[in-house]
Each structure stands twice: as C-alpha cells, then as structure tokens.
Amino acid sequence: MSNKSTQQIASTKTLYRRTSSLAYDAQSRSSERFHNQPNQQRIKDEWRERWNLPPTTVSASRSVLASTIHENETASALENVKSKPIYTFGIITDIQYAPIPDGHSYNGTPRYYRHALIAAEHAARHFEDEKVHCVVGLGDIVDGKCADVERWGGNLGEFRKDGDAKRELDESEREKINYRVGHDAMDDVVKALSSYKNGKILHTYGNHELYCLSRIDLKEKLRIPFTTEPTGDLVGYYTHSLHEYDKEKTSQSQEIIDSEQMKLRFLFIDSYDISLLDRCPQTSPKRQLAHKLLSANNHNYPNNENSPEGLGEFEKRFVAFNGGVDKPQLEWLEKSLQSAKENNEKVIIFSHQPIHPGSSGPICLIWNYDHVLTILRKYSDVVIASFSGHAHKGGYVRDAESGIHFRTLEAVLESPDPIRTYGIVDVWEDQLKVRGWGNCMSDIYDFDHLFFSKKKSSHPEGSLTTYY
C-alpha cells in the first residue's frame, strides 16, 4: 500500500472517528415521523387535490392493507392485485456489514452487523428465485466501523496473517490490517449478493464505503461505471436501460420485453459528487467546494463536521456525512431526462441520499437537493419515482407539485435475526408495487401524474439557492 493510500485512509478514519456518533444518531432518527402508512395515502392524495382530481380509492384500500398486514403477509396479500408485471427488480440498502459484535446507534437503536451479511445473502437468493430483471443496491453495503474494528469490539487477531497472536502490533501494522478489513468486508458482501445470477447488480454508494475504501476500489469491486471529469475527480452517475438487456449477463430463461410495452430507464445519481470523503484537499475542486459549503452553512465546521446543533431545520443537512451534486452531473441529469422523453422512456431515479425533504428528515438530504428536485419536476411526465437509502427508518412522500413518488427504503442493518429487510419492485404501465420483506414497507404507487398535462412550476426561475 502506498504512503498516499495510507495517509488517505488514516485521514478518512480520523474524520470517521470524530463524526460517526452524530452520523449514526441522525440517520436513525431522521424519518420516524414519516413511517405511517395511512399518512402515506394522505400524502399521495394531496397531489390529486392540487390538480382537482378525485382521490384514488383503490390506492387508499391498498395502503390500509399495507398498514394492517406485515412483512410476507403483506406481499402475499398484494400478490393478485394485477397480472404479471412488465419489469421486476430487487432493491436493498444500508447493509452496513462489519465483522464486529452487534451494537447500537448513539440513540440506542440496535444494529446487527454480522446478521446483515446473512440477510443480504438471503435477499440475493430470493431475487434469484424470482428471476428479477436486475438488482439495485442503494449504498452503504459495509459499515465505517470496519476502519477500526478493534475499537468496536472486533478482534484484529482474526485478520492478522503472521500467526503470532501474542506479538503486539505496531501502529503501521494496525493501519494495514484495518485497511484490509474494509476490503475483505466488501468482498464478503459482494460474494453474498452473488447468489443472484439472473441479471446485473447495479450499485450506487454512500458515506460508509468511503470511510473504508476509495472510489477506485468501488469501481473495481462494485463495477460502478465512474466518470472521470475534467477536474480529475471520479463521479459515479450513470444510466441503465431495462428494455435493452445485456445478452451475456441475462439468463436465457428471462423473457424479452415486448417492444410495444413501456420502456424503462434507471438513472443513478452520485450524491457524494461534492464531498469531503476520498477527495484530495489540495487538488480536488469538489473537496474544496464541500469545504466552502460546510464553512458557509454550518458554524460547527470544521471542529465538529457532523453536528447540526444550532442550525435551522433545513440547514441541518450541511454535515460531513452528506454530500452534493455538482453542475456537470446536474447537466447530465437534465440531458438524460430530455433524451428519455424524446425516446418515450419512463425513468426511475436512484441515489443514496434522499432528494425530497418530505421523504426523510432534513439532516439526511443531499446538500443541494433543491437543484435536483427542480430538474425532476420539469420532467414529471417522464419520472415515475425516486428511491434512496441513508435514512434507516425509511420514509415516503408524493411531491405535491409533480406527482413523483419519493421513497426512502428501510435499512438492512437494523433488522435482527430472523428478519431480513429488502424489497422487490414490480412495474406495470400505470403503477409500481413495492413488495416488502422484513422491515421494508409494502406499498403501491400509481403513475397517474404521467398522463396529465405538465403544469407550470410554482417556483419562479432562480428562486433556489445557488451553491456554486
């Protein structure tokens, strides 16, 4: 390992140690107030009321059903709602595996680090059994505590290769072992997910991967197709078409989608485009912009990067475990949506951090979520829904202006054995169904907003804060 890599890991590890308590506490608490199914139906109908449309009584009954029947029973009860879907994909987030004993967040929420690996493998086998078209991983598949397992009750002796358990390790040896633990943990999760073989596993990444690995590592291990921007920074935004399958990867048993049916495209947003994490302080403009944003919006920075103490409600997002979306990616997003519109494709958005303030508490939002949201609203006749992770309790809102559904998925990490938390999403021409297992809530989201004329945005041009 090079001196540069060692220094980079050490720097990130120091940042993680200093800020992890607030990060975990915030993510645990962030969206509890949204985790209410009857309230979800009210949120859905607000959009219809805005445009003087009648409430969706069928959707309401389904929401009540989802609130009264749990886990596999919910999925089973929704089984016969419609005929076979056009597309089906698996979805999972915040596995956060680490080879350490079970623990708690800093507000006392239990966390099951080793069981998370078992849950991930169980989900992958289920995805394979159902022959879903692909699987989406929303990030944080390993936990930042891999960077210092000994501190969190792990035994470094499990990972040393000299066989001499009695010999005291020096600091350099400890650094190298901790570096290897993060890589090995990532490999373990990738292996667990490899039980799914029918299609591609499409990943985005979160803050926890960056506490342990570099973006170059993620490109290799998770096959994220990073773009190298003119600044030299790697950014992981990309697109994937479900109606244009990779013939070598797709099982022969998988049916080819009828060309007359809805064409569906996935857009993956990199919410750690602008970030302190794994960006060089001296040479990265994105790292420098992150420093500028936090300095301007959080008086606790830099001594307590993840503290939202004393900040206004929506300023709480300006903490170091979050990130932002830079101008080149915003331009790519708009061009991609315009292209999808011209090609008569519908789009689902994926990101680690939530985009809509109603889908999680503000502390977990993308720094410039408003820029992203404004672009999505312009294409409300194209964008079906957005899925994210990061806020472990999950959440949901239907945007009152556009009708787009914003869902924050529940985390694997906080589900004890034998619970395994993940979802399978079925997509038809006019709705999608989330079939939830474990703590993942089941629900149905209609696409009626796609079939009405686009209304002029209530947000005047230039009304949003500019960050760059």
Side-chain angles (χ1 to χ4, degrees):
M1 184 168 55
S2 68
N3 290 335
K4 183 178 179 181
S5 296
T6 303
Q7 292 170 0
Q8 190 175 55
I9 291 293
S11 174
T12 301
K13 178 176 165 183
T14 300
L15 173 65
Y16 176 75
R17 280 179 170 176
R18 191 163 58 243
T19 61
S20 61
S21 62
L22 283 161
Y24 283 107
D25 182 51
Q27 290 179 23
S28 294
R29 292 184 287 106
S30 61
S31 54
E32 289 179 352
R33 62 195 178 98
F34 301 103
H35 200 59
N36 181 287
Q37 285 285 353
N39 186 52
Q40 286 189 12
Q41 186 56 41
R42 179 187 60 78
I43 291 169
K44 292 176 188 176
D45 285 340
E46 281 180 357
W47 174 81
R48 301 187 65 80
E49 291 169 5
R50 181 184 177 94
W51 304 116
N52 298 316
L53 301 172
T56 51
T57 54
V58 173
S59 200
S61 67
R62 290 169 184 157
S63 187
V64 171
L65 175 67
S67 69
T68 55
I69 308 177
H70 190 53
E71 294 177 15
N72 295 351
E73 295 179 8
T74 305
S76 177
L78 295 176
E79 193 84 18
N80 298 317
V81 169
K82 265 186 161 283
S83 59
K84 188 175 181 179
I86 305 170
Y87 305 100
T88 298
F89 62 93
I91 191 165
I92 191 167
T93 192
D94 295 270
I95 298 168
Q96 291 184 222
Y97 165 64
I100 58 176
D102 292 342
H104 297 80
S105 68
Y106 289 85
N107 74 333
T109 302
R111 292 186 164 177
Y112 306 94
Y113 297 101
R114 291 183 182 269
H115 173 64
L117 185 64
I118 298 170
E121 184 174 9
H122 175 91
R125 289 198 305 268
H126 189 174
F127 298 150
E128 177 64 16
D129 288 344
E130 293 223 8
K131 301 299 181 189
V132 299
H133 293 114
C134 65
V135 171
V136 174
L138 290 172
D140 280 1
I141 71 172
V142 295
D143 195 275
K145 290 180 179 178
C146 291
D148 193 354
V149 293
E150 199 170 30
R151 180 187 176 201
W152 303 104
N155 179 9
L156 280 187
E158 293 181 37
F159 310 101
R160 61 190 298 170
K161 295 183 177 180
D162 59 8
D164 186 0
K166 294 182 179 179
R167 184 177 65 83
E168 186 71 20
L169 296 168
D170 62 32
E171 187 59 30
S172 174
E173 289 175 311
R174 289 177 184 277
E175 289 285 350
K176 289 178 180 178
I177 292 175
N178 278 314
Y179 174 85
R180 193 169 68 244
V181 169
H183 283 250
D184 289 349
M186 176 70 75
D187 292 342
D188 289 341
V189 180
V190 170
K191 182 179 178 181
L193 293 175
S194 70
S195 295
Y196 171 72
K197 304 179 187 301
N198 191 63
K200 289 186 175 182
I201 301 180
L202 307 166
H203 291 280
T204 186
Y205 68 97
N207 51 313
H208 279 271
E209 285 94 346
L210 296 179
Y211 294 135
C212 308
L213 299 96
S214 69
R215 287 175 176 83
I216 293 174
D217 296 325
L218 299 181
K219 182 177 183 179
E220 175 188 345
K221 292 179 182 293
L222 299 182
R223 300 288 187 256
I224 296 174
F226 282 92
T227 296
T228 303
E229 292 190 350
T231 61
D233 288 309
L234 292 176
V235 189
Y237 52 88
Y238 65 100
T239 180
H240 177 78
S241 170
L242 261 69
H243 53 278
E244 297 170 356
Y245 293 116
D246 183 336
K247 294 180 181 179
E248 294 182 0
K249 182 65 178 175
T250 303
S251 167
Q252 292 182 354
S253 65
Q254 186 168 304
E255 296 181 11
I256 302 299
I257 300 302
D258 189 328
S259 61
E260 296 300 314
Q261 293 179 315
M262 178 178 69
K263 295 188 288 186
L264 182 62
R265 183 168 297 278
F266 289 172
L267 297 183
F268 288 81
I269 291 175
D270 184 344
S271 60
Y272 290 90
D273 179 353
I274 305 169
S275 174
L276 295 180
L277 302 172
D278 190 47
R279 299 285 194 211
C280 179
Q282 288 75 39
T283 63
S284 170
K286 294 178 184 294
R287 170 63 168 74
Q288 293 160 8
L289 180 53
H291 169 74
K292 180 180 178 181
L293 290 173
L294 292 173
S295 297
N297 292 283
N298 188 340
H299 58 262
N300 301 299
Y301 178 83
N303 294 327
N304 206 350
E305 291 100 334
N306 278 346
S307 173
E309 185 176 354
L311 301 180
E313 185 73 2
F314 284 98
E315 283 67 47
K316 290 178 180 178
R317 68 189 188 275
F318 289 105
V319 286
F321 62 82
N322 289 335
V325 179
D326 208 350
K327 187 174 181 180
Q329 186 179 177
L330 292 173
E331 291 173 347
W332 164 84
L333 176 62
E334 183 145 21
K335 288 177 182 177
S336 297
L337 290 171
Q338 181 60 36
S339 176
K341 184 172 184 174
E342 292 170 358
N343 291 312
N344 196 30
E345 297 172 334
K346 303 309 176 188
V347 170
I348 298 179
I349 304 292
F350 299 99
S351 61
H352 181 64
Q353 290 178 246
I355 295 170
H356 198 294
S359 67
S360 83
I363 199 169
C364 286
L365 290 170
I366 295 173
W367 287 338
N368 57 331
Y369 75 87
D370 42 4
H371 290 141
V372 180
L373 187 55
T374 296
I375 293 172
L376 299 187
R377 283 170 170 165
K378 287 175 64 176
Y379 293 91
S380 61
D381 54 343
V382 174
V383 180
I384 293 170
S386 168
F387 287 90
S388 63
H390 198 45
H392 289 184
K393 296 299 181 185
Y396 168 80
V397 71
R398 188 173 198 183
D399 182 46
E401 181 173 323
S402 65
I404 298 170
H405 301 276
F406 290 84
R407 170 69 184 268
T408 302
L409 212 70
E410 294 79 5
V412 174
L413 176 64
E414 294 173 3
S415 302
D417 190 21
I419 297 173
R420 284 96 174 191
T421 295
Y422 58 92
I424 293 178
V425 181
D426 300 318
V427 184
W428 290 272
E429 291 277 357
D430 60 346
Q431 66 180 207
L432 68 78
K433 176 174 67 177
V434 178
R435 289 184 281 144
W437 276 263
N439 292 329
C440 179
M441 298 299 293
S442 297
D443 208 347
I444 294 177
Y445 307 137
D446 293 317
F447 303 163
D448 41 10
H449 64 285
L450 298 176
F451 308 111
F452 293 97
S453 299
K454 182 172 171 53
K455 305 293 183 178
K456 186 176 179 180
S457 171
S458 62
H459 294 281
E461 186 75 22
S463 65
L464 299 174
T465 304
T466 299
Y467 296 123
Y468 38 71

